[in-house]
Structures are given as C-alpha cells and as structure tokens.
Amino acid sequence: FRYTRNLVDNGNGKFNLMILCWGEGHGSSIHDHTDSHCFMKILQGNLKETLFEWPEKKGNGEMAKKSERVLRENQCAYINDSIGLHRVENISHTETAVSLHLYSPPFDTCNTFDQRTGHKHKVTMTFYSQFGERTVC
Amino acid sequence: LPAGLSQWFPALEVLDVSGTGLAEMGAELLSLPCLHTLLAKNNRLGGPGSLPKGLGQAPLARSLRVLNLSGNRFAEVPPVLLQLRGLHSLSLGGNRLHSIPPDIQELRSLEFLYLGGNFITSIPPELAKLPSLKYLVLCDNKIQSIPPQLSQLHSLRSLSLHNNLLTYLPREILNLVHLEELSLRGNPLVVRFVRDLTYNPPSLQELAGRTVKTRNVPYAPSDLPENLVRYLSLASNCPNPKCGGVYFDSCVRQIKFVDFCGKYRLPLMHYLCSPECSSPFSSASQSSTSQSESDSEDEASVAARRMQKVLLG
C-alpha cells in the first residue's frame, strides 16, 4: 500500500537500477542519498519533487524548503547529498506514476528526516521485487 | 453510455469509460449482470443522473467489486452508490466532497476506500463500522480531528492522513494493532503542551446512554428507535483503567505527548469521561513531560514503539 521499489539491474555491484511504482497519493519521506549519485526519470505520470536544505546540526525547527517542481513524463532529475535532500510524491488522486532510478554507487540505507523538527533517522531500504521476482521479507 | 450496451456485450466484466467527458451513466448499466469493475475517472460526473436509479436492485449491486469515480465533480456521495453491497474498492479521490455520509457503513464488503483530494472536514464514527476495511486514504482534505471510534477498524492496514488540519490524534489510534502504514505529514500537529480543553457537561441523552452501558441494561433493537440503537453502539471506553466508564460526545480532553523513542513526538488526545478521571494521569501542575505519568505510560510506550515502524515520513 505504499510505493514499491523494484530492482532491475545491479550493474555488477557498481549501481542499482530500479523502477518505482507510485499509487495515487503515495509519497516518500524526506531522505538523503548516502553519498551516491541519484538519477531519476519519469516513465509514466507525474511526480512532485520538493528539495530541502540539510537541517542545522541540532535540528530543532521546521526544515527549510528550497524549491519544488513537478516532473512530467520523460523528464529527468539528478540529486546528491551536496545538493540537498528531497521528498518525491505522486500528488495525483487519479493517476499512478512510474519512475526509473539509477543510484551509483548502490546503497541500501539512508536517513529519513522529520519535516517538523529536522530529526533524522537511519532506515534500511528494501525491494518489493528484484529482477522480476517478488522479494519475500 | 450507448443504449445497446448490454445487448452487444452481455458478458461484460470490466468497463473503463475514464476520460470521456461522461456526465451521466444511466439504465444501460443496470442490465450488465457480470460487471465487476467500473472505471469512470476524469469525467464530468457529479450531478443527478450520474448513477442510475434502481442501482440497488440491479445485478450490479451484488456483482460490482471495483468502482473508480476519481477526478469527477461529486459534491456528495450519491446515496444510490451506498446500495452496492458487493463493493470491495471505491475511489472518489479528487472530487468536491465536503463530508462522508454515515451510511457509508452500508458498504459491508469494502476493503479499499480512497477519498483523498476532497474538502472533507470530519469523519463520521460510522466509518469505523466497515469490518473489512484494510486501506483508508483521507489525505489532502480539511480534516480537523479523527473520531476515536476509528480504532474499531480491526482490519485496517494502511491509513493515509497527510496534508489535513489535524492538531492531535486520538489516543485510541494506538489500538490499531494491524496497522502497517500511517502517514501524518503536513498536519499542524501541536508540538507544545495544550491545556485542558473546555468540558461541556453531558446531555440527558448522554447520561442515559452512559447508564445503559455501564449498568449493562439489556436492550434489543426493537426496544428503541433506530437512531438511539446506533447512538449506543458508538460508546467509547474511558481509558482511565480505574474508571471503566463510557462516554459518547461529552468528555474531558487532554493532550499527552507520546514520545516515539526520541524521534517523533505525537500529540495524542486522551478522552476521559469526566474531569475526575484526569487525576491518575496528570498532576495538578499540568506538566507535559511524560515521565511523570505512570499508569498508561508502559502500554503507550509499547504501542509507540510499534507505531514508530508504521509512521511514514
């Protein structure tokens, strides 16, 4: 009942290429990219990307939004930790969305951030499926 | 819809008329006995005639499983829709709804309900009567509070409440043991302690209801008017373990912050049946630190740890 991450290729350990499927209203948390490059291309539908500044060390206030944009079909985006943090959402209540993501080097943990306080929390990311096979937890 | 639809396609199971500018769907639907999925999103439906009269008596009322009316112009849930007894999945996302009718509880088979992107301001407690509801989406509305009865949705796996006007949550939300996902971002959740809110003394109806419930006065549906039977079924239990009372609409409300292992502090609203009940929880100084409160702290922190895994950022 949330967006799914579906691994397509792991490039001999050099990158992760995956397809994300977003239902209506599905969104991600605010997250970083663990020192990796992250490319994203919209394959279907639209996704809203909101960029945030890194919170101050002590993180005790609402996080600052840098910018937001709606990415349309076939548009690409890039982010890494020096650019900032982002939240990606399918804000449509009628259409699903599909995006292609390339992470290099691959990573399976990242930090998620509470928008109200800037507090971060390390999480392990999981795949819904890998190479077409459903991943059983 | 073309008039000969059921003659040309008597075995039709899935009908997708999305994005066709449709303003009305009439009697042509009523004679499709096998139809289980009807997708009519992004149209101009919403006025009278959007759904045919007699829908409740048609084979469709039992056969239809999935109905998607998202991206239309519905300002209210058409009453005839509530007769679709077999419906498992209903989407009215991106319409113009201002409220959810209490009779939504008639959709006994409903598992998936998408109401995101409307103008809904409150949730009727009757929504909690849907026994099979697994997935409830209420994001992007104008909801100011969640009724505590929502904790009766025992099958609920996923609850989407992001981008609303919630300042607190009912403490009962911790009772949703099967919940796997909860989204709360984009709500003005209070971050500071809020003093006790005004206590409105109970009405005579409430006092009578409390007596019936706490003294276990037996009653059958034939003994009371239907609206009172319904009222009695909405009783909530006072969370004060020393009280054991019930309340309906009149209660003392107190915000207590439940700390999710230092990561999130969620303001949970405790409903107590009377001002006398508040003493075991909070000291007279109305302190906001949860360490000083004993009784429900253990159950709250266990539930909070479980909830932490469930909270989506």
Side-chain angles (χ1 to χ4, degrees):
Chain A
F1 300 152
R2 331 168 40 171
Y3 68 94
T4 60
R5 306 171 80 243
N6 303 278
L7 185 67
V8 168
D9 193 328
N10 60 9
N12 286 330
K14 299 294 188 191
F15 61 77
N16 270 350
L17 184 68
M18 63 190 77
I19 291 186
L20 270 57
C21 299
W22 310 77
E24 296 90 327
H26 286 175
S28 76
S29 54
I30 302 174
H31 56 274
D32 62 11
H33 298 86
T34 322
D35 292 327
S36 293
H37 301 282
C38 162
F39 297 85
M40 166 167 69
K41 174 171 176 163
I42 315 298
L43 300 181
Q44 182 184 303
N46 303 292
L47 289 175
K48 175 170 150 186
E49 180 194 34
T50 309
L51 291 182
F52 290 86
E53 301 281 5
W54 279 89
E56 300 297 310
K57 262 291 182 328
K58 277 268 31 197
N60 233 340
E62 181 92 24
M63 284 175 69
K65 253 187 226 187
K66 269 172 66 160
S67 63
E68 64 181 43
R69 58 177 167 165
V70 175
L71 297 159
R72 310 278 175 199
E73 243 169 66
N74 283 322
Q75 270 191 278
C76 291
Y78 169 81
I79 195 169
N80 65 44
D81 284 351
S82 67
I83 293 175
L85 308 167
H86 71 179
R87 184 196 300 285
V88 181
E89 315 167 76
N90 176 14
I91 54 173
S92 174
H93 298 291
T94 59
E95 312 306 320
T96 58
V98 180
S99 54
L100 182 68
H101 295 244
L102 176 65
Y103 299 108
S104 179
F107 58 95
D108 56 12
T109 65
C110 70
N111 291 301
T112 62
F113 295 77
D114 179 350
Q115 188 170 347
R116 294 178 307 150
T117 60
H119 287 155
K120 70 178 184 199
H121 179 209
K122 185 170 172 186
V123 293
T124 304
M125 297 132 77
T126 57
F127 291 113
Y128 184 82
S129 73
Q130 301 184 54
F131 317 110
E133 304 273 332
R134 177 83 173 91
T135 308
V136 185
C137 305
Chain B
L1 293 173
L5 194 58
S6 51
Q7 278 143 26
W8 301 329
F9 308 114
L12 199 61
E13 293 181 17
V14 176
L15 179 61
D16 185 350
V17 289
S18 300
T20 56
L22 211 54
E24 289 184 345
M25 291 192 292
E28 308 77 32
L29 279 183
L30 299 180
S31 22
L32 289 168
C34 307
L35 195 69
H36 60 68
T37 298
L38 176 57
L39 310 174
K41 55 182 194 174
N42 297 323
N43 283 310
R44 283 156 41 212
L45 298 165
S50 297
L51 290 173
K53 291 199 241 298
L55 192 57
Q57 290 72 45
L60 210 56
R62 272 162 287 125
S63 68
L64 200 66
R65 293 276 171 273
V66 176
L67 178 58
N68 190 330
L69 294 169
S70 60
N72 281 289
R73 303 166 182 191
F74 287 97
E76 55 162 30
V77 179
V80 70
L81 192 156
L82 302 173
Q83 293 169 30
L84 294 168
R85 297 229 177 293
L87 208 60
H88 282 193
S89 167
L90 173 61
S91 176
L92 279 162
N95 276 281
R96 303 170 185 180
L97 302 176
H98 280 81
S99 64
I100 306 170
D103 283 340
I104 191 101
Q105 61 176 313
E106 304 290 312
L107 296 174
R108 311 286 305 153
S109 310
L110 207 61
E111 293 179 15
F112 173 110
L113 179 58
Y114 192 109
L115 293 171
N118 280 286
F119 303 106
I120 298 168
T121 52
S122 69
I123 303 171
E126 288 82 357
L127 186 61
K129 296 284 180 67
L130 294 171
S132 314
L133 199 65
K134 292 202 178 78
Y135 184 29
L136 177 59
V137 180
L138 293 165
C139 62
D140 294 292
N141 275 290
K142 307 279 178 203
I143 300 169
Q144 295 172 26
S145 68
I146 307 292
Q149 291 88 352
L150 230 56
S151 60
Q152 290 164 30
L153 285 169
H154 300 298
S155 302
L156 202 65
R157 296 282 154 76
S158 178
L159 177 57
S160 164
L161 291 168
H162 58 272
N163 300 332
N164 273 290
L165 299 173
L166 298 171
T167 46
Y168 56 81
L169 300 168
R171 166 207 152 274
E172 285 80 1
I173 207 155
L174 299 177
N175 297 344
L176 286 167
V177 288
H178 295 297
L179 199 65
E180 290 164 15
E181 293 154 7
L182 172 63
S183 67
L184 290 170
R185 59 187 162 81
N187 279 287
L189 295 177
V190 294
V191 290
R192 294 175 315 110
F193 180 76
V194 174
R195 300 217 146 257
D196 276 355
L197 303 175
T198 317
Y199 172 53
N200 291 316
S203 59
L204 286 176
Q205 177 171 294
E206 166 115 21
L207 288 171
R210 290 188 184 197
T211 305
V212 167
K213 284 288 178 182
T214 53
R215 306 267 172 111
N216 286 315
V217 175
Y219 63 93
S222 51
D223 297 327
L224 296 168
E226 200 206 311
N227 65 311
L228 289 180
V229 176
R230 202 175 271 198
Y231 178 82
L232 286 171
S233 72
L234 296 175
S236 297
N237 292 309
C238 182
N240 178 357
K242 295 186 172 71
C243 169
V246 298
Y247 62 90
F248 293 84
D249 310 302
S250 168
C251 51
V252 177
R253 292 169 294 170
Q254 222 182 39
I255 290 191
K256 184 171 153 187
F257 286 94
V258 176
D259 209 21
F260 286 35
C261 308
K263 308 224 165 46
Y264 302 104
R265 284 182 87 221
L266 278 203
L268 297 184
M269 180 68 95
H270 287 67
Y271 295 91
L272 303 162
C273 64
S274 77
E276 285 77 56
C277 280
S278 59
S279 43
F281 290 158
S282 67
S283 56
S285 62
Q286 308 286 307
S287 165
S288 69
T289 54
S290 38
Q291 271 77 42
S292 57
E293 289 142 353
S294 53
D295 289 358
S296 59
E297 195 48 44
D298 287 334
E299 68 158 83
S301 54
V302 166
R305 255 187 300 277
R306 178 173 38 80
M307 270 286 171
Q308 194 194 337
K309 296 188 194 125
V310 150
L311 264 180
L312 302 181

